[in-house]
Amino acid sequence: MATFSSLVPLTPFIIMAKYLALLTLFYLPLSSVHAQSLDAFNQYLTGSSQVLYVKTANADAVQGTMYLYERKNNRRHWKLADSFAVVVGKAGLAKAPQTSLPLNYNIPIKKEGDGKSPAGIFQLGDVFSYHPLSNLHMPFIQVDTNFYCVDDVASTYYNTLIVKDTATAPFNSFEYMKRADDLYEYGVWVLYNSTPVVAGNGSCIFIHIWRNEHSGTAGCTAMSKEHILQLIRWLNKKKNPVLLQVVDNNAKE
């Protein structure tokens, strides 16, 4: 008995399938095709020549990749300096309330205690460590057990680094900047919810050492000790480095 495949030539169907596939790719929305190219964010990166570009596969993903990009000036193209694995919040990403980025995917808004890292674009503050560091190109502060980051939404110190002995206002909740588990042995302060500080929008967002490659954070972005040491040596305040953190719309679920 003759089969369907022996009666009907397959070549026209293969050609048509390829044609339709090409049409589908051609007519994808521009936001899907270009949203993950760093050049697509150039209007938000004016004045910055270093970008820490973090992408996760979806809004709930804990694991992601950080790409370090650099350029000489606004007229030059971005060049990839390095990339490596990172983890974000244990509950994934949430949209920063203050972000100017047109994030078109449906994710919740960042708030205090949600276990999510902020999606958006953020300037970077001080590099910090338990140890004295020299020959950095960023402002630096050495922290110890007297340094707190306040996460009490009712305190005037909310989302502020303070030295315990100099505090003049009350606060009931905080993070030690020198931890027993050494996750903050090396880190970078992310200027999220900083200008202005809005109570409840989230606090104490850092780039720091991960517990491991599978464990999410309370809302920070974390990586191996090897890579954060590499990162803090690479950062240069004169290049106005920023953290750009998004969901990769092109990633396969």
Side-chain angles (χ1 to χ4, degrees):
M1 180 180 293
T3 64
F4 181 81
S5 59
S6 65
L7 293 173
V8 183
L10 291 177
T11 303
F13 289 94
I14 294 173
I15 293 173
M16 180 61 72
K18 290 183 177 179
Y19 177 72
L20 290 174
L22 287 172
L23 283 179
T24 301
L25 287 172
F26 183 79
Y27 285 109
L28 278 173
L30 288 179
S31 60
S32 296
V33 176
H34 298 297
Q36 304 312 309
S37 167
L38 187 59
D39 287 334
F41 297 101
N42 274 342
Q43 62 179 305
Y44 306 101
L45 299 172
T46 301
S48 290
S49 298
Q50 287 185 331
V51 177
L52 289 58
Y53 186 20
V54 172
K55 295 193 285 187
T56 65
N58 56 67
D60 298 320
V62 168
Q63 296 170 314
T65 303
M66 176 178 285
Y67 302 87
L68 303 183
Y69 280 97
E70 195 165 19
R71 63 182 177 182
K72 289 186 177 180
N73 54 54
N74 290 349
R75 298 183 298 277
R76 299 296 184 91
H77 293 295
W78 293 104
K79 292 185 178 181
L80 182 64
D82 205 352
S83 64
F84 40 79
V86 296
V87 294
V88 295
K90 60 188 176 183
L93 293 182
K95 183 177 179 180
Q98 308 98 324
T99 186
S100 58
L101 292 182
L103 302 178
N104 57 4
Y105 38 85
N106 185 25
I107 62 175
I109 303 298
K110 171 68 183 167
K111 61 182 179 180
E112 182 67 41
D114 60 3
K116 294 179 179 289
S117 294
I121 184 168
F122 316 102
Q123 293 186 316
L124 300 181
D126 293 354
V127 170
F128 58 85
S129 176
Y130 306 163
H131 317 291
L133 298 178
S134 58
N135 300 318
L136 297 180
H137 303 291
M138 292 288 286
F140 170 74
I141 184 167
Q142 184 175 353
V143 296
D144 57 33
T145 53
N146 287 317
F147 284 78
Y148 297 167
C149 181
V150 177
D151 55 14
D152 180 356
V153 296
S155 173
T156 57
Y157 291 134
Y158 179 66
N159 198 29
T160 302
L161 180 67
I162 66 166
V163 179
K164 177 185 66 173
D165 295 339
T166 62
T168 58
F171 56 92
N172 295 314
S173 179
F174 64 92
E175 284 194 61
Y176 285 105
M177 293 303 298
K178 186 170 185 180
R179 299 165 52 119
D181 57 17
D182 286 343
L183 296 186
Y184 293 173
E185 182 180 5
Y186 299 98
V188 185
W189 192 289
V190 178
L191 298 180
Y192 166 74
N193 190 26
S194 295
T195 311
V197 175
V198 179
N201 279 0
S203 62
C204 306
I205 303 298
F206 314 127
I207 299 169
H208 63 77
I209 300 170
W210 65 19
R211 194 175 303 279
N212 57 61
E213 66 271 29
H214 303 293
S215 299
T217 69
C220 299
T221 299
M223 62 193 67
S224 71
K225 183 175 179 177
E226 172 190 357
H227 286 134
I228 199 160
L229 284 169
Q230 175 185 336
L231 173 65
I232 63 178
R233 297 292 181 187
W234 177 76
L235 290 172
N236 189 330
K237 183 174 176 59
K238 291 182 179 179
K239 297 183 179 183
N240 190 27
V242 295
L243 171 65
L244 171 60
Q245 202 153 243
V246 298
V247 171
D248 185 355
N249 290 335
N250 294 330
K252 294 181 180 179
E253 297 290 339

